[in-house]
Amino acid sequence: QVKLMESGGGSVQAGGSLRLSCRAGGDDYSSTYCMAWIRQAPGKEREAVASVTEDGIPAYLDTVKGRFTISKDSTEKMLYLEMNSLKPEDTAWYTCAARPSRRCTLVAGLFGYRGPGTQVTVSS
Protein backbone atom coordinates (compact mmCIF):
# COMPACT_ATOMS: atom_id res chain seq x y z
CA GLN A 1 0.00 0.00 0.00
CA VAL A 2 1.22 3.47 -0.90
CA LYS A 3 -0.30 6.51 0.78
CA LEU A 4 -0.08 9.96 -0.74
CA MET A 5 -1.53 13.14 0.69
CA GLU A 6 -1.36 16.54 -0.97
CA SER A 7 -1.59 20.02 0.50
CA GLY A 8 -1.06 23.58 -0.63
CA GLY A 9 -3.66 24.14 -3.32
CA GLY A 10 -5.76 27.27 -3.48
CA SER A 11 -6.80 30.24 -5.55
CA VAL A 12 -4.43 32.78 -7.04
CA GLN A 13 -4.46 35.47 -9.69
CA ALA A 14 -2.68 35.01 -12.98
CA GLY A 15 1.03 35.56 -12.57
CA GLY A 16 0.98 34.38 -8.99
CA SER A 17 2.64 31.40 -7.34
CA LEU A 18 1.63 28.35 -5.35
CA ARG A 19 3.56 25.50 -3.79
CA LEU A 20 2.08 22.03 -3.58
CA SER A 21 3.34 19.45 -1.12
CA CYS A 22 2.80 15.70 -0.96
CA ARG A 23 3.59 13.40 1.93
CA ALA A 24 4.27 9.82 0.88
CA GLY A 25 4.11 6.72 3.01
CA GLY A 26 2.72 3.23 3.39
CA ASP A 27 4.29 -0.19 3.62
CA ASP A 28 4.90 -0.45 -0.12
CA TYR A 29 6.32 3.02 -0.67
CA SER A 30 9.92 3.31 -1.76
CA SER A 31 12.07 6.34 -2.41
CA THR A 32 13.17 4.60 -5.62
CA TYR A 33 9.75 5.17 -7.19
CA CYS A 34 9.17 7.62 -10.00
CA MET A 35 7.05 10.45 -8.55
CA ALA A 36 4.91 12.94 -10.42
CA TRP A 37 2.28 15.62 -10.27
CA ILE A 38 -0.75 14.92 -12.43
CA ARG A 39 -3.54 17.36 -13.12
CA GLN A 40 -6.96 17.19 -14.63
CA ALA A 41 -9.12 20.11 -15.67
CA PRO A 42 -12.87 19.77 -16.25
CA GLY A 43 -13.52 18.21 -19.62
CA LYS A 44 -9.85 17.48 -20.28
CA GLU A 45 -7.61 14.46 -20.10
CA ARG A 46 -5.31 13.86 -17.18
CA GLU A 47 -1.79 15.03 -17.82
CA ALA A 48 1.42 14.62 -15.89
CA VAL A 49 2.98 18.06 -15.61
CA ALA A 50 6.20 16.98 -13.94
CA SER A 51 7.98 13.85 -12.78
CA VAL A 52 11.15 13.15 -10.85
CA THR A 53 13.39 10.11 -10.60
CA GLU A 54 14.80 8.60 -7.42
CA ASP A 55 17.95 10.60 -8.11
CA GLY A 56 16.03 13.87 -8.41
CA ILE A 57 16.17 14.21 -12.19
CA PRO A 58 13.07 16.09 -13.32
CA ALA A 59 11.02 16.09 -16.49
CA TYR A 60 8.33 18.58 -17.44
CA LEU A 61 5.39 18.98 -19.74
CA ASP A 62 6.30 21.59 -22.34
CA THR A 63 3.56 23.95 -21.25
CA VAL A 64 4.96 24.26 -17.73
CA LYS A 65 8.69 24.28 -18.45
CA GLY A 66 10.39 27.28 -16.92
CA ARG A 67 7.42 27.94 -14.63
CA PHE A 68 7.05 24.78 -12.52
CA THR A 69 9.73 23.07 -10.47
CA ILE A 70 9.36 19.57 -9.04
CA SER A 71 11.53 18.47 -6.15
CA LYS A 72 11.66 15.80 -3.50
CA ASP A 73 13.03 15.19 -0.05
CA SER A 74 13.57 11.44 0.18
CA THR A 75 14.46 11.56 3.86
CA GLU A 76 11.19 13.23 4.75
CA LYS A 77 9.24 11.34 2.03
CA MET A 78 8.01 14.61 0.61
CA LEU A 79 7.32 15.71 -2.96
CA TYR A 80 6.89 19.35 -3.96
CA LEU A 81 5.70 21.36 -6.93
CA GLU A 82 6.64 25.03 -7.05
CA MET A 83 4.38 26.80 -9.54
CA ASN A 84 5.24 30.30 -10.71
CA SER A 85 3.79 32.60 -13.36
CA LEU A 86 0.51 30.73 -13.09
CA LYS A 87 -1.98 31.00 -15.92
CA PRO A 88 -5.74 30.45 -15.97
CA GLU A 89 -5.11 27.32 -18.06
CA ASP A 90 -3.22 25.84 -15.09
CA THR A 91 -6.52 25.60 -13.23
CA ALA A 92 -7.09 21.94 -12.44
CA TRP A 93 -7.23 19.26 -9.78
CA TYR A 94 -3.64 18.33 -8.96
CA THR A 95 -2.66 14.94 -7.59
CA CYS A 96 0.57 13.49 -6.36
CA ALA A 97 1.38 10.18 -8.02
CA ALA A 98 3.83 7.32 -7.65
CA ARG A 99 4.99 4.71 -10.10
CA PRO A 100 6.68 1.65 -8.58
CA SER A 101 9.53 1.72 -11.06
CA ARG A 102 12.90 3.36 -11.46
CA ARG A 103 11.91 4.14 -15.05
CA CYS A 104 10.31 7.55 -14.92
CA THR A 105 7.73 8.89 -17.34
CA LEU A 106 5.25 11.66 -18.03
CA VAL A 107 2.54 9.23 -19.11
CA ALA A 108 -0.17 9.81 -16.52
CA GLY A 109 -1.75 6.40 -16.97
CA LEU A 110 1.40 4.61 -15.84
CA PHE A 111 1.20 5.90 -12.29
CA GLY A 112 -0.61 3.30 -10.22
CA TYR A 113 -0.81 5.28 -7.00
CA ARG A 114 -2.40 8.70 -6.62
CA GLY A 115 -3.43 10.86 -3.71
CA PRO A 116 -6.87 12.43 -3.30
CA GLY A 117 -5.63 15.69 -4.80
CA THR A 118 -5.94 19.42 -4.28
CA GLN A 119 -7.57 22.16 -6.32
CA VAL A 120 -5.58 24.92 -7.99
CA THR A 121 -7.58 27.80 -9.40
CA VAL A 122 -5.97 30.64 -11.33
CA SER A 123 -8.11 33.65 -12.15
CA SER A 124 -7.39 36.14 -14.90
Side-chain angles (χ1 to χ4, degrees), residues 20 34-41 45-52 57-71 79-83 86 89-97 104-109 111 114 120:
L20 304 183
C34 172
M35 301 295 293
W37 288 95
I38 294 172
R39 70 184 182 188
Q40 186 166 22
E45 296 289 322
R46 278 181 304 164
E47 58 182 5
V49 298
S51 66
V52 64
I57 299 173
Y60 298 98
L61 189 68
D62 284 346
T63 54
V64 307
K65 279 182 182 177
R67 300 189 297 121
F68 290 12
T69 302
I70 189 171
S71 61
L79 181 72
Y80 303 101
L81 185 69
E82 188 76 37
M83 303 184 292
L86 282 161
E89 51 263 44
D90 295 317
T91 295
W93 191 263
Y94 285 71
T95 58
C96 171
C104 223
T105 178
L106 282 175
V107 178
F111 289 83
R114 293 196 299 274
V120 170

